[in-house]
């Protein structure tokens, strides 16, 4: 057995023996860790897991490079910086892209950030009462009291004016974003706005300085411990070829793509994209965010375009040619889902399933292109059961990768999942899991 396969098997044994596997695919470790704590992103994975993997595989030796096609809040890149590893990656959601960019930035004198923040705050305090919220998106006016919304948009508008030094802007963007859930009068945390969850909103001006001070402290600590990795995040759709990432240049991929569960990142982050005027309405959420996301992360596709079409038209033609065995299995599952839809007149999860695998085929192709020989891809992924039809997404993606040319794959379960929803009426009672899929080129 080649050494790299043995090493992967030993690593998976090591993970099982060390416990805590159920935390690896979640963001619970990130809430208290320097830099990771700046913005809590529920779909993120554990920085400790990324850290453990990088350390085990000595990625920083010989200038190793890491790629994350679904950067989200930037967990992989932040860990890479700590180890002096070059990390490159894509994120298609402009809001998250800005968050990730702030987390991988370093400045010479972090203390000066506090001074810049104080100047900004003083300015805002003197003008916020005149702020006009009548032009803000309706959702914002429902989530925040008029007073807090005025303060928040004043912070935002001063951010957008040219009065802040360019070097500080990413941090100011991040700090203001992190205030939103704390200053809202309802729960706006991902995955959706919980209108019934009314809460005591904090005052943006009161918590602004403390949030900025946490950033300064973490930056000072990072500078002292000599974090010197280089990271680059592209605002880019990972289904496409990113020619700035060279073929055969990457030692390790660490990522977590959206799961096949119809979790819509455009919807989940709409308060943020409305607030920052990245999107002005639902149609812009669709054109600017949902259309650039993997199909499972949205149902933006036109049902009319696919309804009644042959399964082969939903799956990518190249995928049918290159991966005929797994394509057949996917088609069989889609047929079963279609039967359920016909009985229940439900959502088009058949189309969603087909488009998901088509998209992941493109992502895996690109992953294969950029990886060096013997390079590894670590993919945190969940399985799925649309309308009670079990789809072993993790297993199919492993098989798809092998048909694409990867030499080996391994799959282990990290944790059971989905049990929170078992009380829902009409929900299936199948057991779901979150897995780690490892691919070896
Ligand atoms: C599970 S999250 C990744 C979380 C990340 N590991 C972290 O710790 O923050 C998946 C991410 O993929 C992004 N995404 C969805 N479709 C994409 C695409 N086609 N290209 C690039 N990013 C995409 C989503 O916006 C989301 O941020």
């Amino acid at each position: 057995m080649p050494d790299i396969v043995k090493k992967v098997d030993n690593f998976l044994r090591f993970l099982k023996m060390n416990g805590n596997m159920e935390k690896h695919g979640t963001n619970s470790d990130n809430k208290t860790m320097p830099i990771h704590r700046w913005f809590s992103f529920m779909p993120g994975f554990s920085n400790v897991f990324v850290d453990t993997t990088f350390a085990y595989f000595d990625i920083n030796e010989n200038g190793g490079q890491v790629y994350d096609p679904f950067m989200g809040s930037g967990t992989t890149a932040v860990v890479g910086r700590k180890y002096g590893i070059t990390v490159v990656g894509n994120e298609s959601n402009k809001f998250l892209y800005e968050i990730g960019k702030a987390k991988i930035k370093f400045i010479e004198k972090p203390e000066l950030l506090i001074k810049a923040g104080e100047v900004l705050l003083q300015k805002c305090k003197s003008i916020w009462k005149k702020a006009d919220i009548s032009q803000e998106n309706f959702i914002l006016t429902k989530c925040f009291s008029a007073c807090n919304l005025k303060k928040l948009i004043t912070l935002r508008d001063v951010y957008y004016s040219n009065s802040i030094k360019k070097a500080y802007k990413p941090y100011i963007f991040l700090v203001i974003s992190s205030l939103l859930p704390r200053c809202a009068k309802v729960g706006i945390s991902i995955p959706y706005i919980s209108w019934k969850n009314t809460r005591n909103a904090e005052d943006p001006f009161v918590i602004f300085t403390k949030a900025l001070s946490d950033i300064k402290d973490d930056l000072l600590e990072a500078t002292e411990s000599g974090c010197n990795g280089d990271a680059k995040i592209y605002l880019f759709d990972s289904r496409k070829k990113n020619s700035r990432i060279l073929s055969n240049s990457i030692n390790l991929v660490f990522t977590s793509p959206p799961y096949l569960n119809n979790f819509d990142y455009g919807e989940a982050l709409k308060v943020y994209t409305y607030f920052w005027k990245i999107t002005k309405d639902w149609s812009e959420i669709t054109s600017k965010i949902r259309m650039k996301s993997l199909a499972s992360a949205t149902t933006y596709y036109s049902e009319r375009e696919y309804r009644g079409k042959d399964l082969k038209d939903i799956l990518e033609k190249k995928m049918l040619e290159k991966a005929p065995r797994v394509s057949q299995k996917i088609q069989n599952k889609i047929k079963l889902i279609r039967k359920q839809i016909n009985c229940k007149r439900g959502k088009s999860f058949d189309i969603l399933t087909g488009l998901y695998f088509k998209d992941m085929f493109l992502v895996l192709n690109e992953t294969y292109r950029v990886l060096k020989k013997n390079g590894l891809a670590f993919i945190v992924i969940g399985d799925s059961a649309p309308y009670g039809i079990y789809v072993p997404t993790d297993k199919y993606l492993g098989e798809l990768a092998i048909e694409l040319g990867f030499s080996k794959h391994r799959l282990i379960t990290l944790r059971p999942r989905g049990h929170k929803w078992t009380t829902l009426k009409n929900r299936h009672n199948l057991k779901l899991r979150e897995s780690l899929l490892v691919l070896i080129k």
Side-chain angles (χ1 to χ4, degrees), residues 93 95 269-279 289:
N93 184 313
F95 169 70
L269 292 163
K270 70 180 176 197
V271 173
Y272 296 93
T273 56
Y274 285 152
F275 175 77
W276 285 110
K277 295 190 179 292
I278 295 169
T279 59
I289 295 179

Side-chain angles (χ1 to χ4, degrees), residues 237-241 291-295 300 359 362-363:
D237 181 344
S238 284
R239 290 171 295 188
K240 298 182 181 160
K241 177 178 174 180
M291 289 178 83
K292 291 175 183 151
S293 302
L294 238 64
Y300 79 80
D359 283 353
L362 300 172
V363 171

Side-chain angles (χ1 to χ4, degrees), residues 22-31 36 41-51 53-54 66-79 103 253-257 259 265 378-381 414-415 434-436:
E22 70 286 350
K23 278 169 87 184
H24 290 345
T26 76
N27 79 332
S28 64
D29 288 329
N30 302 354
K31 290 180 184 162
H36 299 283
F41 184 50
M42 186 275 273
F45 47 44
S46 158
N47 73 88
V48 178
F49 186 30
V50 183
D51 200 311
T53 312
F54 287 1
V66 169
Y67 169 55
D68 184 346
F70 301 99
M71 200 54 102
S73 62
T75 311
T76 313
V78 174
V79 179
K103 282 166 125 185
V253 172
F254 204 105
T255 198
S256 179
Y259 299 177
Y265 287 84
F378 290 82
I379 303 176
V380 175
I381 187 76
L414 296 174
R415 64 173 176 125
E434 186 167 66
S435 307
L436 173 67

Side-chain angles (χ1 to χ4, degrees), residues 112-134:
L112 295 182
L113 189 57
I114 300 295
K115 285 220 171 92
E118 274 165 9
V119 173
L120 179 142
L121 198 56
Q122 285 317 317
K123 185 166 184 185
C124 292
K125 281 182 177 170
S126 66
I127 58 173
W128 73 272
K129 285 189 182 148
K130 289 192 201 121
D132 174 15
I133 53 172
S134 66

